[in-house]
Amino acid sequence: RIGLTCNIGGALSTVSKYMICYNQQLCDDNIENQCLDVSGSLQGNCRIHKHLLCDGSDDCQDQKDELHNNCEPMVEGRVCVRKVNKKSFLPIPLKWVMDGVEDCVGGIDERSGVWPTCPSGETIRY
């Protein structure tokens, strides 16, 4: 079962879903180990890949992956295909935009000018 597609040694490759969150680097960008312990649950911790957060599907028994603090705020008006969760076009948390990790297929979350950002520099108040 394919978990994700990434570059390994510069060549496009697939990684088994069983190697995701396994703490062994395979992909050049180590995307397979971008995992979180979703804690605070009466039923114990749930360790999942960050691309399974906020995707509308309950991956933890107590639904903590859909209530995680990364789910607020989400990018509005833009969607992408996540590298691990390729079910559909999904919005991504603002924390993932321009953070140095390509979360979207094609790396569009790391391209400047694609996502809404706050302006920088001097502003004029009216």
Side-chain angles (χ1 to χ4, degrees):
R1 306 220 191 269
I2 296 173
L4 65 92
T5 304
C6 66
N7 287 323
I8 299 176
L12 190 61
S13 305
T14 58
V15 175
S16 166
K17 73 176 190 172
Y18 301 109
M19 293 303 291
I20 295 175
C21 300
Y22 195 69
N23 290 328
Q24 181 178 356
Q25 183 172 353
L26 298 171
C27 299
D28 295 345
D29 61 0
N30 201 27
I31 190 70
E32 74 278 16
N33 290 311
Q34 298 288 321
C35 303
L36 299 168
D37 287 316
V38 182
S39 58
S41 166
L42 297 174
Q43 299 163 343
N45 289 344
C46 177
R47 183 165 176 78
I48 62 170
H49 194 276
K50 76 177 197 175
H51 291 177
L52 299 176
L53 289 173
C54 324
D55 66 350
S57 177
D58 298 329
D59 299 295
C60 297
Q61 290 180 346
D62 60 1
Q63 303 168 349
K64 288 286 186 184
D65 58 305
E66 298 305 309
L67 304 172
H68 194 268
N69 61 2
N70 273 339
C71 296
E72 292 289 331
M74 298 290 281
V75 172
E76 293 182 20
R78 299 258 190 252
V79 294
C80 76
V81 176
R82 298 179 188 182
K83 281 190 172 181
V84 171
N85 186 358
K86 294 184 179 182
K87 292 181 198 173
S88 62
F89 289 92
L90 296 168
I92 60 172
L94 281 172
K95 292 181 180 183
W96 297 2
V97 176
M98 303 296 289
D99 66 350
V101 176
E102 289 187 5
D103 298 299
C104 299
V105 172
I108 63 169
D109 59 307
E110 298 304 313
R111 292 186 197 150
S112 62
V114 174
W115 301 91
T117 58
C118 295
S120 61
E122 190 175 325
T123 61
I124 300 171
R125 186 175 189 168
Y126 295 97

